[in-house]
Amino acid sequence: MRLSVLDQAPVTKGNTAESALKKAEELAILADKLGYARMWMAEHHGTKAFASSAPEVTAAHLAAKTNNIRIGTGGVMMMHYSPLKLAEVFKTLSALSPGRIDFGVGRAPGGDNYSIYALSEGQQPMLHNLYEKFDTTLKLLNDEVPEDRLYDKTIATPSNVVLPGAWMLGSSGTSAIQAGRMGVGYSFAQFFNGDLSKEILDAYKEHFESSSFMEEPETIVTYMVTTAETKEEAEFEARPQDIARLMLRRGRMMQALTPEEAQDYPLTELDRMEIAENRRLHLVGSAKEIALLLQEEKEKYGFDEAMICSIPHSQEKRLEVYRLLARELF
C-alpha cells in the first residue's frame, strides 16, 4: 500500500512550537528513509495547539532536508491569498525541488473568525469564488493566461519550471466533482467527520478530465491513527487525542495532554460515550490491526493512497507509529 504523512506540527503539553517544527523535520527525514510517498503540512491559525501556520515555508525547509519524498501542503488555505502569490510560491518551491512539490489547497479558513479577519486585514473574506480562484492559480502555475481580468496581463514568476502536483482537499464530498473537472488530485480528510463513501470517490473519477497536472485520477484518504506493538499500548497513547477531540467538539482547542494526565482526566459517562463514537474518526489498535483495517478501507473505497496523521504525545512514540505501519504495509 502507498502511504503518506500529514503533519500539523502539534505542540503537545510541555513542549514548544519551535520543537514541534523541529520534530516535523525529524518526521520528514524518517518518512523519506522508510519510503513514504509524500508529506504534507497543514495550515492552522489562532491556536497554540499546532505550529503549522505557514506550511509553504515549512515545505521549503523539509524539501531541503529530504531526498525522494514529495513535500507539500495539506493544504494551504487559499481564501487568505491571491492566486498570483500562490502560484509564485509554489513555482518557486518546484523550481528548487523539481518533481517533488505538491500544491494542496483547502477551502476552509484554518482558524477562528478573529484569525480570518486578521488575515484579510479586516475585509470581508471572499468565500464565494474559491473554485474560480483555484482555477486561476492553476493557469498561472501552468504559464497560461487566466480568464480573470485582474490577472490576464501579468505572469507568475519563475516561468517554465516543472509543475508541482496539484490537489484539492475535501471532507464532505462537495468538492470531488470540481477536483475531477479541473484535472487535479482529490484528497479526502476522513478524520474530520468520517463521511467518506465510495460514491464520493467514484464521482471524482467519473468527472475527471486529464490535465497538465495529472493524466489519471488520483485519490488520497487521510486517517488519524494511533498504533503500537500492542492494542493496550495504543489505547494508552490514544487517550490524549480522544480528550482533545472531545474538547474540540465543544469549541475548545487544547494542547494534547501527556498519556499519564489523560488517564486521570475526569470524564463523565456521556464523555466516554462521545469518545467511543469519535473513534470512527481515530483508528486505534496494534500495528497489525491498523494495517489490516487500512487494507480493508482501500478495498472498500478504492482509493490510491492512505495518508496518516498521528499525534502521540512523545516524538519517540509518534515516529514509532510510522515505523510500524511501514513494517506492516511496505
Side-chain angles (χ1 to χ4, degrees):
M1 176 182 286
R2 202 163 73 202
L3 290 180
S4 290
V5 179
L6 174 67
D7 188 32
Q8 301 163 311
V11 185
T12 53
K13 190 173 180 182
N15 290 291
T16 65
E18 183 177 333
S19 69
L21 291 168
K22 183 64 178 178
K23 289 171 183 176
E25 177 188 318
E26 293 172 358
L27 177 54
I29 292 170
L30 176 67
D32 192 27
K33 291 178 179 178
L34 292 174
Y36 280 75
R38 72 190 82 237
M39 178 170 169
W40 287 355
M41 297 301 299
E43 179 174 336
H44 291 284
H45 301 284
T47 175
K48 294 183 179 180
F50 301 110
S52 186
S53 61
E56 68 281 8
V57 175
T58 311
H61 181 75
L62 299 184
K65 294 290 183 177
T66 53
N67 298 308
N68 301 302
I69 191 170
R70 295 188 67 91
I71 300 292
T73 52
V76 64
M77 300 294 103
M78 61 179 170
M79 72 163 62
H80 305 307
Y81 315 107
S82 80
L84 181 60
K85 182 61 175 177
L86 289 170
E88 292 193 329
V89 165
F90 282 86
K91 290 178 83 171
T92 300
L93 287 171
S94 194
L96 291 168
S97 301
R100 293 182 52 218
I101 298 299
D102 286 335
F103 172 50
V105 304
R107 295 175 299 123
D112 58 18
N113 287 336
Y114 299 108
S115 301
I116 295 171
Y117 280 95
L119 285 163
S120 64
E121 298 185 90
Q123 303 301 308
Q124 179 68 34
M126 297 177 68
L127 307 179
H128 65 283
N129 66 336
L130 293 178
Y131 292 125
E132 291 85 351
K133 175 180 276 193
F134 188 41
D135 182 67
T136 297
T137 308
L138 294 178
K139 286 184 168 61
L140 290 168
L141 282 168
N142 201 27
D143 296 323
E144 298 176 14
V145 178
E147 296 175 8
D148 190 324
R149 297 176 66 180
L150 183 60
Y151 301 97
D152 65 3
K153 293 179 176 62
T154 188
I155 62 170
T157 302
S159 299
N160 301 312
V161 301
V162 174
L163 283 174
W167 294 79
M168 183 175 287
L169 279 61
S171 60
S172 64
T174 57
S175 59
I177 292 175
Q178 290 285 353
R181 288 173 174 165
M182 292 181 177
V184 301
Y186 182 63
S187 179
F188 189 91
Q190 175 70 342
F191 70 102
F192 275 17
N193 52 34
D195 287 341
L196 179 63
S197 69
K198 191 172 185 300
E199 289 71 23
I200 290 173
L201 299 187
D202 286 347
Y204 160 72
K205 295 171 187 177
E206 289 167 6
H207 289 86
F208 184 85
E209 299 177 18
S210 62
S211 71
S212 300
F213 294 92
M214 198 168 285
E215 292 185 1
E216 301 291 335
E218 290 191 42
T219 53
I220 295 173
V221 176
T222 304
Y223 294 90
M224 176 70 73
V225 172
T226 304
T227 191
E229 290 285 4
T230 67
K231 181 175 177 59
E232 291 72 24
E233 185 182 355
E235 288 287 347
F236 179 75
E237 294 294 335
R239 181 50 61 93
Q241 278 309 302
D242 288 336
I243 294 170
R245 184 175 288 275
L246 182 69
M247 294 299 104
L248 182 62
R249 289 178 65 124
R250 295 174 184 177
R252 177 186 164 201
M253 185 175 285
M254 63 180 288
Q255 290 179 294
L257 304 170
T258 67
E260 292 77 13
E261 289 173 323
Q263 306 310 308
D264 297 329
Y265 194 87
L267 296 170
T268 66
E269 186 60 32
L270 181 61
D271 292 337
R272 296 180 188 281
M273 291 173 60
E274 192 168 337
I275 286 173
E277 170 64 19
N278 287 342
R279 278 296 180 86
R280 67 192 179 93
L281 313 177
H282 182 190
L283 309 185
V284 180
S286 71
K288 290 188 180 297
E289 289 172 332
I290 297 300
L292 178 60
L293 180 57
L294 289 173
Q295 289 171 328
E296 291 173 348
E297 292 274 297
K298 185 176 186 297
E299 291 179 10
K300 178 179 180 180
Y301 295 115
F303 56 79
D304 299 302
E305 186 175 320
M307 182 170 275
I308 307 302
C309 182
S310 190
I311 315 181
H313 183 271
S314 80
Q315 177 74 342
E316 177 186 353
K317 293 297 183 181
R318 188 163 76 127
L319 297 180
E320 187 67 10
V321 167
Y322 293 97
R323 290 192 188 99
L324 290 171
L325 291 177
R327 184 191 72 187
E328 296 293 334
L329 292 167
F330 291 166

